[in-house]
Amino acid sequence: MRRHQRQVYITFALENTYAVEIKQVREIIDYTDAITHTPGMPPFMRGMLNLRQQMVSVIDLRCLYQMAPAAPGGRAKILVIERGQDRYGLLVDAVENIMTVNDNRRFTAPKMMRNSSVNDGPRGEMEEVIDIEGEGEGHKTLSVFECDRLLQRLAREMPALAA
């Protein structure tokens, strides 16, 4: 008999609700204007943030995916992710919830959802979806955001963007 595994996810808003495995996120911080803009970077690179003596490159996901800017006075948060010595901050509209999901509720995303173009929005970073049977909210499906796919894409595209 196979034991069911469970994963913990953070749900966040970026026009729609998405989920990211909690183990991909080092911490969540409030958005602050204390971000230093770095000249010569593409517009989606909001700048650098000094977080406890460690520099964090802040990526504005709305700008990256060519969405309209968020309404002022929102609940914007930065999801800090760590890869080796590098730290990145993903600017999102809000962090909504933390939830535990059984593996049997995770599915490969349909091929039509798995586009690879930045212009297609955050769904380009998705390979899986989670099927949620909510009590008050009813039934819904969340796309699982893959931070590593985003960072790999940015690494490929940055030389072209800087040219």
Side-chain angles (χ1 to χ4, degrees):
M1 187 167 108
R2 184 178 157 211
R3 264 185 72 178
H4 287 288
Q5 299 292 316
R6 298 169 2 140
Q7 302 291 335
V8 180
Y9 292 89
I10 297 170
T11 59
F12 66 91
L14 192 66
E15 283 189 1
N16 295 303
T17 301
Y18 299 94
V20 62
E21 279 189 74
I22 199 166
K23 66 184 177 185
Q24 290 191 40
V25 178
R26 181 175 186 253
E27 64 185 293
I28 301 167
I29 59 173
D30 290 326
Y31 173 73
T32 175
D33 287 331
I35 295 174
T36 305
H37 183 70
T38 309
M41 296 305 290
F44 64 82
M45 290 297 297
R46 183 59 70 100
M48 301 297 289
L49 174 66
N50 185 341
L51 181 64
R52 292 183 297 283
Q53 305 303 313
Q54 296 179 333
M55 296 309 290
V56 177
S57 302
V58 179
I59 301 165
D60 184 338
L61 294 181
R62 280 188 157 275
C63 184
L64 175 68
Y65 297 124
Q66 301 175 357
M67 297 176 171
R75 307 172 313 175
K77 299 284 185 190
I78 297 174
L79 304 177
V80 178
I81 60 175
E82 204 171 45
R83 297 301 179 269
Q85 298 297 317
D86 297 326
R87 286 175 184 73
Y88 304 91
L90 307 179
L91 180 59
V92 300
D93 295 348
V95 170
E96 297 178 340
N97 199 358
I98 295 176
M99 62 185 186
T100 302
V101 177
N102 289 328
D103 279 350
N104 66 349
R105 306 304 303 167
R106 294 174 28 175
F107 302 95
T108 300
K111 195 169 191 171
M112 289 180 62
M113 286 178 67
R114 293 181 279 145
N115 292 323
S116 59
S117 170
V118 169
N119 299 337
D120 292 328
R123 283 197 167 64
E125 316 313 336
M126 316 294 168
E127 288 193 12
E128 291 185 329
V129 293
I130 305 171
D131 191 36
I132 308 292
E133 292 180 14
E135 294 171 15
E137 301 173 10
H139 188 185
K140 64 181 177 179
T141 302
L142 298 177
S143 296
V144 179
F145 190 87
E146 295 291 337
C147 297
D148 288 336
R149 278 185 63 141
L150 169 66
L151 295 177
Q152 289 167 3
R153 176 181 292 169
L154 291 177
R156 286 191 311 267
E157 294 182 8
M158 287 296 279
L161 292 170

